[in-house]
Structure formats: structure tokens, C-alpha cells
Amino acid sequence: MERLKTSCQNRNKKGWPSRKRKDSNHNQKELMKMAKDLEQEMPLRGNSKTIHPVDIENNNNNNTHTLPPLPGRPPRAPSSALLPPPLPPKQYTKWFSWLIPLFVVANIVMLFITMYVNNCPKYSLSCLAPSFRRFSFQPFKENPLLGPSSATLEKMGALVVNKVVHGHQGWRLISCIWLHGGVIHLLANMISLLIIGIRLEREFGFVRIGLLYMIAGLGGSLMSALFVRSSISVGASGAVFGLLGAMLSELIINWTIYRNKVSSLIMLIFIVVINLGVGILPHVDNFAHIGGFISGFFLGFVFLIRPQFGWTSKNYIPPGYSPAKRKYKIYQCALWIISLIVLIIGFAVALILLFKGVDGNAKCSWCHYLSCVPTSRWSCNTQPVYCTSEQMGNQLNLTCPSNGKSKTYFLPNVTDSQIRGLCTQLCS
């Protein structure tokens, strides 16, 4: 025993490894072995021997390899704990726009049908573009918009106040939206409809935009019928201005979700003022524009309201995200209620006044300036033209009392439609 104890002490003095040092060397060997194994499993960038965190991620199985913690150090926290809470998913999807293009096609088809019914070579002495035969246009003096006669438009469903009030033809308030005075009139309205309508339909869907278009068009027809009582009215401009008004109200009611709010508002108001300013020219029904714009403006508060910024449906709330408590702000709810009340009362009052035969110009002596401002270059007289006629055999004598012009025509079997067309040319 004495000899054995002395031998152990001598070994320690000579520098033989103790048990503690042996364990440390064993841990280092294990770490080096694990590092070599991971180096073989994980691809390295180029010739570099540095392992990047991006390369560690396995894209196929979404698993991550992490090195074991060094002795004496706490383990690293996962990278997800260092990231901010995720944002809520976007819930507004873009709709596919098909209704607005369908409206455009319907308006084009209606113009073709109207021109077919018009049949200028049969009912007029002279036509524009006679090579089009049945689809040729009325003379430029009669219709500068390259389209049919007023009599044809009236037959197809143009807005005529006397027929709406006394003939119980209220359907003309809607049918006139699908008719146009000519090719120029159609192009102007359809280009505007495509630019404004497709954007709105993609944002809010075909149901809301379709209802907004039709109701705004009805509002434009009602305003026109109350103030323009001496001539016919056609065109989709009232409905198009309704979409323009809805864009303005949509910007106001969804104010919190937009960035460049002030600049967008100023630009939109500028566009509205320019378009309404064009309406003071003669032969343009600016009352339909104003009625459609007002109707669309209030309809936008009702149909185009969106939840406030930061609100998320409970079905889409991700972990760690706290949405806004209220879906709509108080001012949004107030605008929605006020607009709905104004629309109901406004349409009810307008319909009652119309079918009672009330003339809006009699109640408002200056309102006619909203549709046309007379200048030295043009007149705002919209009185219907009429002529005195005298027929002897094939000879027809026409006289226009408004300008005093007279003309003699030699026509066999002249019709009333031909006489009206000749009278329009004579008085224009």
C-alpha cells in the first residue's frame, strides 16, 4: 500500500493527466466531430468555411439545424422571438371587372339598333355618309353628333317630360340612360365610363357598382325632367357623373386608409369642376350631370364604406396582433345614416314633383344658368322647332317662324317624319 500510494503521487508530479482534464479533452473532441458532421450535411457558400444562418434552413422540410450551446453559455433564443408581431393579412381582393365592359357593349349595341331604326335614306332627303346606307347619319345641321334624328330617339325611349307625366311612361327615366345622340356622344361617355367604372368595380365588386350606376342614372334623369321640359334628353352621362361623385365620397368616408389624401382630394375636385364646367355649353344637359353627381356622391357614402385602418375580422387575426376594436369610425357611421336619409327623401320628393307636373324653372328663376350660360357666341334657346307647311300635290312649302326661312320641296308621298326632319334642318 505504501508503495502504490507513492507511485500515484509520482505520476501526478510528472504531469500525467488528471480526470478533470481528460473530461475537457473528451468534450472538445465531441464538438469537433459534431462540427464535421454538420459541415458535410450543410452546403457552404462558395469556398467559404463559414456557415450562414440562411443556408442552415432546409427549404424542403422547414427544419433548422442549430449548433449545440457552448459549455457555460445559455442557449440562443429562436429568431422568431426577435421579430415584431406579424401584420394582419390583406382582406381586400381585386374583383374581375366584367359589368362595366358589358354596359359599354350594351350602349354600343343600342346605338346600332337606333341607327337601323332611323334609316336616314328613307325618311330624309340628304344624309351624312350615305355609303353606310341604312346606318347613315342625319345631316350635320340637324345632328352634329353624327347620329339619328330626334324623332327616332323619341321612338326608342328618350326622356320626354310630357310623355312621362301625362302619358304614364315612367320607364323613359331609365331607358334614356342607354341611348345616345350620336357617335361622338357615345365615345365621350364610354371612354369616361371605362376609366372610372373599371377601377371602382375592381375595388368594390359588380353588385355595388351596378346599383350605384343605375340609381345615379335615375337621379340624373329626374333632375333633367324637372328643369329641361322643352326638349328630349338621352345619354349615360348622368350615371357616369354618379360614379365620379362616388369616387369623391369614397375618398372622404375611407379617409383613414389612404396616404396622399389631400392631393388626391384636390385632383378629384379639379376633375369634377372641369367636367361640370363643360356642361354650361349649349345642347349639353348639365342638369343630368348635376343630378347624377349628387346622387352618386351620397350613394358612395352608403355603398363604398370600408372598415377603418387596423381592423381585422376575427377569422383572420394572426397570433400576436391586436386589431382595432371598432369596425367603423363614428364619422363613417354618421355619414352613412345621413346619406341614406337624404337619398330616400330626395328621390321621393323629386318623383312627387315630377308626376305633379311641377316646372323646376318656375320655382328657381336662375337655375337655367346651371345648364347653359348665354354668350355672344351661342344662344341657349332650347324651344322646340316647328314649321308651317302647305302641300299641293307633290309640292311642299315649309316656313320656319323662328328665323323666317321658307323653302319649297318636291316630294311624292311625303311622311310626317320627313316633314319633321326638313323642318329641323330649315330652322337650324
Side-chain angles (χ1 to χ4, degrees):
M1 288 294 293
E2 197 69 34
R3 185 178 180 179
L4 180 61
K5 183 176 180 181
T6 305
S7 175
C8 290
Q9 290 175 355
N10 291 335
R11 287 182 182 179
N12 289 335
K13 290 178 181 179
K14 291 178 181 180
W16 285 48
S18 63
R19 184 175 184 85
K20 183 176 180 180
R21 185 172 182 180
K22 184 177 181 180
D23 292 342
S24 175
N25 291 337
H26 178 73
N27 288 340
Q28 291 180 2
K29 289 180 180 180
E30 289 293 330
L31 289 175
M32 292 178 64
K33 184 179 179 181
M34 292 180 67
K36 286 182 179 181
D37 293 340
L38 289 174
E39 202 173 61
Q40 294 176 358
E41 292 178 5
M42 295 180 296
L44 301 180
R45 291 186 176 180
N47 298 324
S48 174
K49 297 299 180 180
T50 306
I51 300 175
H52 296 270
V54 177
D55 298 326
I56 295 176
E57 186 174 352
N58 189 340
N59 295 327
N60 296 328
N61 300 323
N62 294 326
N63 296 325
T64 56
H65 299 279
T66 55
L67 292 173
L70 296 176
R73 293 187 181 181
R76 281 187 67 182
S79 58
S80 61
L82 304 176
L83 298 175
L87 294 175
K90 187 176 181 180
Q91 300 181 43
Y92 303 117
T93 58
K94 296 288 185 181
W95 294 72
F96 175 74
S97 177
W98 61 269
L99 185 63
I100 295 299
L102 183 63
F103 284 168
V104 173
V105 172
N107 280 278
I108 295 174
V109 170
M110 283 303 302
L111 181 61
F112 272 96
I113 295 175
T114 305
M115 295 305 300
Y116 180 84
V117 174
N118 185 65
N119 196 3
C120 181
K122 182 179 180 180
Y123 300 107
S124 299
L125 295 178
S126 61
C127 298
L128 198 61
S131 59
F132 292 168
R133 297 184 179 180
R134 190 174 186 128
F135 294 95
S136 58
F137 309 118
Q138 293 298 121
F140 193 77
K141 285 185 177 181
E142 181 181 349
N143 188 348
L145 299 176
L146 303 179
S149 64
S150 300
T152 302
L153 290 172
E154 184 177 337
K155 184 190 301 183
M156 293 297 295
L159 179 58
V160 183
V161 178
N162 287 332
K163 292 190 175 183
V164 172
V165 177
H166 304 293
H168 305 288
Q169 298 179 9
W171 50 270
R172 290 180 179 271
L173 294 169
I174 299 296
S175 63
C176 68
I177 302 172
W178 306 97
L179 299 174
H180 286 83
V183 176
I184 298 176
H185 190 198
L186 178 72
L187 285 176
N189 280 341
M190 293 304 101
I191 292 174
S192 301
L193 178 59
L194 287 173
I195 294 174
I196 301 172
I198 288 180
R199 180 258 177 190
L200 287 175
E201 186 181 356
R202 291 189 65 195
E203 291 288 334
F204 299 97
F206 67 93
V207 176
R208 287 189 276 185
I209 299 305
L211 288 173
L212 198 153
Y213 180 88
M214 294 302 300
I215 299 174
L218 176 61
S221 298
L222 284 173
M223 181 72 80
S224 177
L226 287 172
F227 289 94
V228 182
R229 308 180 67 87
S230 59
S231 61
I232 66 172
S233 178
V234 293
S237 53
V240 173
F241 268 81
L243 296 180
L244 195 59
M247 288 182 65
L248 180 59
S249 58
E250 189 267 334
L251 176 63
I252 295 173
I253 197 169
N254 300 323
W255 188 260
T256 59
I257 66 175
Y258 285 99
R259 290 187 177 179
N260 301 324
K261 309 170 186 178
V262 178
S263 59
S264 299
L265 181 61
I266 294 174
M267 181 60 66
L268 198 54
I269 292 176
F270 177 76
I271 294 173
V272 170
V273 171
I274 292 297
N275 282 274
L276 289 177
V278 174
I280 65 174
L281 298 174
H283 308 295
V284 178
D285 188 2
N286 207 31
F287 284 110
H289 298 172
I290 297 172
F293 178 81
I294 295 174
S295 301
F297 181 74
F298 287 106
L299 286 168
F301 289 127
V302 176
F303 286 144
L304 308 185
I305 185 173
R306 275 180 167 174
Q308 63 168 309
F309 179 79
W311 181 87
T312 306
S313 175
K314 293 181 179 179
N315 299 328
Y316 296 95
I317 298 178
Y321 179 77
S322 56
K325 295 181 179 180
R326 297 177 60 90
K327 185 174 182 179
Y328 301 107
K329 287 185 173 292
I330 297 177
Y331 85 92
Q332 288 179 298
C333 299
L335 286 173
W336 190 91
I337 296 173
I338 294 172
S339 300
L340 186 62
I341 295 173
V342 170
L343 285 169
I344 294 173
I345 296 176
F347 274 91
V349 171
L351 287 170
I352 292 172
L353 293 177
L354 174 63
F355 286 102
K356 279 189 173 183
V358 176
D359 186 357
N361 294 301
K363 303 293 182 181
C364 179
S365 59
W366 56 269
C367 287
H368 62 278
Y369 292 114
L370 295 175
S371 182
C372 182
V373 177
T375 66
S376 58
R377 294 180 177 271
W378 64 71
S379 173
C380 294
N381 185 17
T382 58
Q383 295 297 323
V385 296
Y386 65 94
C387 298
T388 58
S389 61
E390 183 179 353
Q391 188 171 4
M392 297 177 61
N394 294 335
Q395 181 178 337
L396 175 66
N397 298 320
L398 287 180
T399 302
C400 180
S402 60
N403 56 16
K405 291 182 179 180
S406 298
K407 195 170 183 179
T408 302
Y409 304 90
F410 294 93
L411 297 173
N413 302 321
V414 65
T415 63
D416 293 338
S417 298
Q418 287 178 320
I419 294 175
R420 283 197 297 267
L422 294 172
C423 178
T424 304
Q425 296 178 36
L426 187 63
C427 295
S428 60

